[in-house]
Amino acid sequence: MMKVENQRLKDFLLDSNLIEKEKVEQAFIEVEKEKKNLADFLLEKELIQEIDLQKLIAYILGVPFVELEKTIVDPEVLQIIPEPIAKKYTIVAFERMGRELKVAMLHPEDLQTIDFIAKKSGLKIIACFTTKKSIQFALRQYEKSLEAEFGDIISKDSEKITQDEEETDLEKVAQDMPVVRIVDTLLKHAIIQQASDIHIEPTEKEVVVRYRIDGILHDAMNLPRKVIQGIVARIKVLADLKLDEHRLPQDGRFKIQSQEYKISFRVSILPVFDGEKVVMRLLDESSKGLTLEDVGFFDRDLEVMHRAIRKPNGIILVTGPTGSGKTTTLYTVMDILNSPEVNISTVEDPVEYRMQRINQTQVNAKIGMTFASALRALLRQDPDIIMVGEIRDEETMEIALHAAMTGHLVLSTLHTNSAAASIPRLLDMGAEPFLVASTINGIVAQRLVRKLCLDCRKPRILSEKEIATMKKSMDMDTILRYIQKSLSSDKKEIQTWKDVELFSPVGCERCGASGYKGRLGIFEVLEMTNDLRKKISERATSNVIEDVSRQEGMHTMIEDGMLKSARGLTSLEEILRVTQE
C-alpha cells in the first residue's frame, strides 16, 4: 500500500469522520511512541475498512482510485501488458483512450515500472491505485481466454492420439504430450471456474467431462473416445495409483500449486461398463479461514453457535444430507478454536482439508481402523477438542457421548433431515436419554443454497397464486412474521407478502449467465435448554422437541432461507430446491 506520513493521514482522518476522533488521536499517540506506520496500525486494529483507507490515501496523494472487481476488461486492452509482467509487477491495463493507457497498481509511486510499461507499449500511462482483490480479479481474466484456447487444444491434440484401444504401454501414453496438455487444461479450466468436482465419464462413443459448480453439475465438454485411456493413465500417474489395475476401484490424491492457488485433488477411479470413470474433488488449500458469518450464520444463530463452541465440554452436532456443507461448518468451528492452548484431534473418512496444528487421523476399515477404534485410541492422546467425521454406529456414539461427559468438546455430524430429528435418532441408536440431554450443547441442521450474483439479481414480489401454492406445503404466516421481526429495523414497514421483496437470478458476464456466484448455508440451530433436557429425558418425539425449541427462539431452515432471499442473498427457487424433500 502507498505510504502517507502519520501526521498528514491523521489530519485527513479527523476531517473525514471515517473513525471517531478520540480513536484517531489515541492511535496516533501509540504509533508515534512505537515508531509505527499509522495506516498499518489502523488496519491491524480493524479500526477502518481497508478499502476506505485506500480511497483516502489515494485522495491525499492525488492519485485516481479504481475498483476492478466488477469490471470485465476488454481482452485487447488487457493483453497490452503481457500476463507474466502483469503478475510480476501486480499491474493491469484496464482502459485505453487513444494514446493514453490507464493501469491499476498496488504501488502507483513505482515510477520505474510505469516507465518500463510506457516504453514497452509506446503509450502514455495513467497510474491508478487499487485494492489487492481488484488486481486478483483482473489477473484472473488473463486465464479466461483459456476457454477459447480449450477448443483448439482438444481438437488438435486429440487428433495426435492415435493409439489403439489395446495399447499396453500405459506409462508411455501417460507421458504423451497431447495427453498431458489435455489433462492440464481440464484441471486449470476447473480451477478457473471454481468447480468443486470434475467428472470424466466414458460412454460408448465419447468421453463426457462435467464440472460441479456451486453444487450443480454442468457439461463442460465432450472428448473423442480414443483419449480416455491416456487421460485415465495420466491421472493415475499424478495420483500415484496402479496403472495396470482396471477392475478394482482406486483412490488417491495430488496437489497443484501456483502463486495464485494451492489446490488438492482427491481422485476416485471406478470401473464402469465403458472403461473407467474418474471423479476428482477439488479442495482449495490456499483459501483463508472462513468465519461463521462467511458460512451464513447471522443474528441469533451466530450467538448460539458462539455460546456452544466456547463451552469446555459437550457435543455439537451438524446434520444434513451428503453435500450440505456439514464438513465446512465443522472445519470453520475448528479454525476458530484452533489456538496453541488446545489440542485438537480428528477422526475423518476421508481427511478433506489439511489444517495446521490439528492432528488428523484417516479411517481405514480394511485394517480395522474404524471410527470407534480410532476414537478410542485418540482419547489416550490428551485431546481437548475432538472432531469425529460422522457418528455412524452405536459404538462410536457411546464413546463420543462419554468423551463429552468426561470434559472434552466433541464435534460431529449425523445424517438427519432436521435438528430436532437428531435426538430421537441418537436414542434409536441406543443412547441413554439422560446422557443425550446432559451432553449436547447444540445441533445445527443445514443445506447449501447458491448465492445470487449481486450484479444482476432483480427484485420480485410473490403473486397471489404463488402464495396460495406455497401455503399448501409451508406455514406462510409464520414465515412472514419471522421476516417482519428480522427486517423491522429497516425503513420499510412489512405488513403483508406484498411488502416483501424477494430476489431472482438474471445472469450476466460476471456469473457466467447462471445468475448465481458462490454458495451459502441455510440453518436451523437448536440450543440445549433446561426445558428441552426434561423433554429428552422423557423420550419426547421430534415434533415435541421442535415445538419446545421454537418457543425458545429457534427458526426452521425454510424461515432462514426465506429471510436470506428477502435480504437479496439467494432466490426462492434455491430455497425450494433444497428444502422440499
Side-chain angles (χ1 to χ4, degrees):
M1 193 189 290
M2 292 190 294
K3 299 287 183 218
V4 177
E5 59 190 61
N6 290 348
Q7 181 63 51
R8 199 169 173 206
L9 179 57
K10 176 194 156 189
D11 294 342
F12 274 89
L13 278 167
L14 291 171
D15 285 345
S16 71
N17 292 327
L18 283 169
I19 310 175
E20 291 166 32
K21 289 187 168 52
E22 301 78 56
K23 285 184 179 169
V24 176
E25 297 287 4
Q26 218 173 334
F28 182 72
I29 293 164
E30 214 162 313
V31 294
E32 286 297 293
K33 195 165 64 187
E34 294 181 22
K35 302 218 169 349
K36 285 184 176 177
N37 177 273
L38 179 58
D40 294 342
F41 181 82
L42 295 172
L43 288 177
E44 192 187 311
K45 298 290 179 196
E46 295 182 356
L47 291 170
I48 191 169
Q49 294 281 329
E50 188 171 9
I51 191 159
D52 293 334
L53 182 61
Q54 286 170 317
K55 282 179 180 172
L56 182 65
I57 289 174
Y59 174 71
I60 295 169
L61 298 178
V63 176
F65 183 85
V66 62
E67 277 184 89
L68 296 178
E69 281 179 69
K70 293 180 182 173
T71 310
I72 302 294
V73 181
D74 179 343
E76 279 182 28
V77 175
L78 194 67
Q79 296 295 345
I80 293 172
I81 301 177
E83 185 180 6
I85 293 170
K87 284 187 170 170
K88 187 177 175 185
Y89 298 103
T90 53
I91 179 170
V92 175
F94 67 94
E95 195 180 311
R96 180 180 176 172
M97 297 162 294
R99 304 296 307 148
E100 286 185 346
L101 181 68
K102 281 189 176 178
V103 298
M105 305 174 70
L106 294 177
H107 301 284
E109 72 278 19
D110 178 1
L111 299 175
Q112 216 174 338
T113 300
I114 293 168
D115 198 36
F116 168 65
I117 300 293
K119 281 182 183 148
K120 204 157 179 53
S121 64
L123 300 169
K124 185 188 172 198
I125 305 297
I126 298 169
C128 303
F129 185 34
T130 191
T131 64
K132 258 190 197 156
K133 262 189 176 173
S134 280
I135 285 278
Q136 281 164 357
F137 180 77
L139 287 174
R140 242 180 263 136
Q141 294 181 47
Y142 279 100
E143 295 176 332
K144 286 282 186 208
S145 53
L146 243 185
E147 294 185 29
E149 209 184 290
F150 201 84
D152 297 347
I153 287 183
I154 296 304
S155 54
K156 282 183 200 157
D157 287 353
S158 59
E159 279 160 25
K160 293 178 198 163
I161 302 171
T162 53
Q163 99 257 13
D164 178 40
E165 285 281 326
E166 303 303 312
E167 176 82 68
T168 48
D169 191 356
L170 288 168
E171 219 148 304
K172 183 173 166 292
V173 175
Q175 307 303 336
D176 203 11
M177 204 50 218
V179 167
V180 172
R181 280 189 66 185
I182 287 174
V183 172
D184 284 357
T185 313
L186 270 175
L187 300 180
K188 196 169 182 188
H189 204 46
I191 293 167
I192 291 164
Q193 293 197 33
Q194 294 174 330
S196 62
D197 302 82
I198 306 170
H199 290 239
I200 301 167
E201 306 167 35
T203 65
E204 196 181 347
K205 296 194 170 72
E206 59 189 0
V207 179
V208 178
V209 179
R210 296 193 287 172
Y211 293 151
R212 189 178 293 282
I213 301 166
D214 292 338
I216 308 285
L217 269 174
H218 300 272
D219 278 2
M221 64 212 68
N222 293 350
L223 307 177
R225 163 85 205 183
K226 62 187 174 188
V227 304
I228 186 64
Q229 211 179 9
I231 288 177
V232 173
R234 174 69 186 153
I235 291 166
K236 283 180 178 175
V237 166
L238 289 172
D240 202 15
L241 300 174
K242 290 179 188 166
L243 278 173
D244 56 353
E245 178 56 81
H246 305 293
R247 296 172 306 167
L248 291 173
Q250 294 192 72
D251 294 305
R253 56 199 313 158
F254 64 92
K255 269 185 193 160
I256 288 185
Q257 211 165 337
S258 78
Q259 281 181 318
E260 289 82 53
Y261 47 73
K262 183 178 172 188
I263 308 281
S264 173
F265 289 81
R266 215 172 68 216
V267 180
S268 166
I269 297 181
L270 182 74
V272 292
F273 189 76
D274 288 300
E276 291 171 278
K277 175 179 173 178
V278 181
V279 175
M280 290 182 273
R281 163 68 52 93
L282 282 73
L283 303 161
D284 187 355
E285 295 193 354
S286 61
S287 58
K288 293 278 182 288
L290 292 169
T291 64
L292 288 171
E293 290 94 326
D294 295 333
V295 177
F297 287 95
F298 303 130
D299 312 330
R300 172 206 172 259
D301 290 353
L302 188 62
E303 287 166 30
V304 171
M305 281 300 282
H306 278 296
R307 271 201 297 275
I309 68 177
R310 294 296 173 201
K311 287 182 179 169
N313 59 320
I315 292 186
I316 295 164
L317 284 177
V318 184
T319 86
T322 306
S324 59
K326 300 188 293 291
T327 312
T328 303
T329 301
L330 287 185
Y331 273 106
T332 304
V333 169
M334 284 197 292
D335 200 38
I336 293 165
L337 296 172
N338 194 2
S339 69
E341 300 87 64
V342 292
N343 173 15
I344 304 181
S345 297
T346 77
V347 184
E348 303 172 62
D349 183 23
V351 171
E352 294 258 359
Y353 291 94
R354 284 291 299 110
M355 289 186 87
Q356 294 298 315
R357 301 188 67 140
I358 286 181
N359 313 291
Q360 293 170 276
T361 305
Q362 167 94 36
V363 168
N364 186 345
K366 279 185 210 156
I367 55 166
M369 179 78 146
T370 60
F371 271 118
S373 60
L375 185 52
R376 207 176 274 115
L378 195 152
L379 283 166
R380 296 194 284 274
Q381 291 265 314
D382 183 32
D384 299 294
I385 297 162
I386 300 165
M387 193 272 257
V388 188
E390 189 188 333
I391 294 178
R392 289 182 189 167
D393 53 55
E394 189 179 337
E395 201 182 352
T396 310
M397 176 202 65
E398 277 179 5
I399 303 168
L401 288 173
H402 283 103
M405 278 292 284
T406 54
H408 303 88
L409 182 65
V410 180
L411 313 169
S412 191
T413 72
L414 203 62
H415 275 280
T416 59
N417 284 337
S418 69
S422 303
I423 289 165
R425 171 96 177 89
L426 291 173
L427 301 181
D428 289 345
M429 285 167 90
E432 291 295 341
F434 76 90
L435 250 184
V436 173
S438 56
T439 54
I440 286 180
N441 296 349
I443 304 175
V444 179
Q446 69 178 78
R447 301 288 185 276
L448 280 181
V449 292
R450 290 183 291 168
K451 268 161 64 175
L452 282 170
C453 170
L454 299 180
D455 291 339
C456 62
R457 62 179 184 183
K458 64 168 190 218
R460 59 175 286 209
I461 302 290
L462 287 177
S463 68
E464 296 290 349
K465 195 178 172 188
E466 283 174 314
I467 294 167
T469 308
M470 287 166 74
K471 271 185 176 168
K472 290 173 190 167
S473 59
M474 57 182 92
D475 186 347
M476 292 294 278
D477 296 337
T478 306
I479 295 170
L480 182 65
R481 279 197 297 277
Y482 177 61
I483 291 175
Q484 277 170 332
K485 192 177 85 179
S486 303
L487 299 182
S488 59
S489 59
D490 294 7
K491 289 162 196 159
K492 194 176 172 188
E493 191 62 37
I494 296 170
Q495 299 290 342
T496 69
W497 278 107
K498 291 276 168 260
D499 305 319
V500 179
E501 246 183 9
L502 301 176
F503 286 79
S504 289
V506 177
C508 66
E509 212 167 15
R510 274 207 74 190
C511 60
S514 70
Y516 297 99
K517 199 162 175 53
R519 287 193 290 176
L520 146 113
I522 58 170
F523 305 95
E524 55 188 44
V525 182
L526 179 150
E527 183 174 29
M528 193 55 74
T529 60
N530 290 333
D531 282 356
L532 264 179
R533 286 194 179 96
K534 273 185 210 145
K535 295 291 178 197
I536 293 166
S537 299
E538 294 162 8
R539 287 185 175 269
T541 63
S542 59
N543 288 345
V544 172
I545 291 166
E546 184 156 319
D547 289 344
V548 174
S549 307
R550 287 181 64 89
Q551 283 159 25
E552 292 176 349
M554 182 183 92
H555 53 255
T556 62
M557 262 181 292
I558 291 218
E559 288 164 7
D560 189 40
M562 293 293 272
L563 176 62
K564 280 171 178 158
S565 181
R567 283 178 164 157
L569 298 172
T570 187
S571 69
L572 175 64
E573 292 81 357
E574 275 296 288
I575 303 304
L576 298 177
R577 178 176 72 83
V578 302
T579 57
Q580 299 298 304
E581 314 289 355

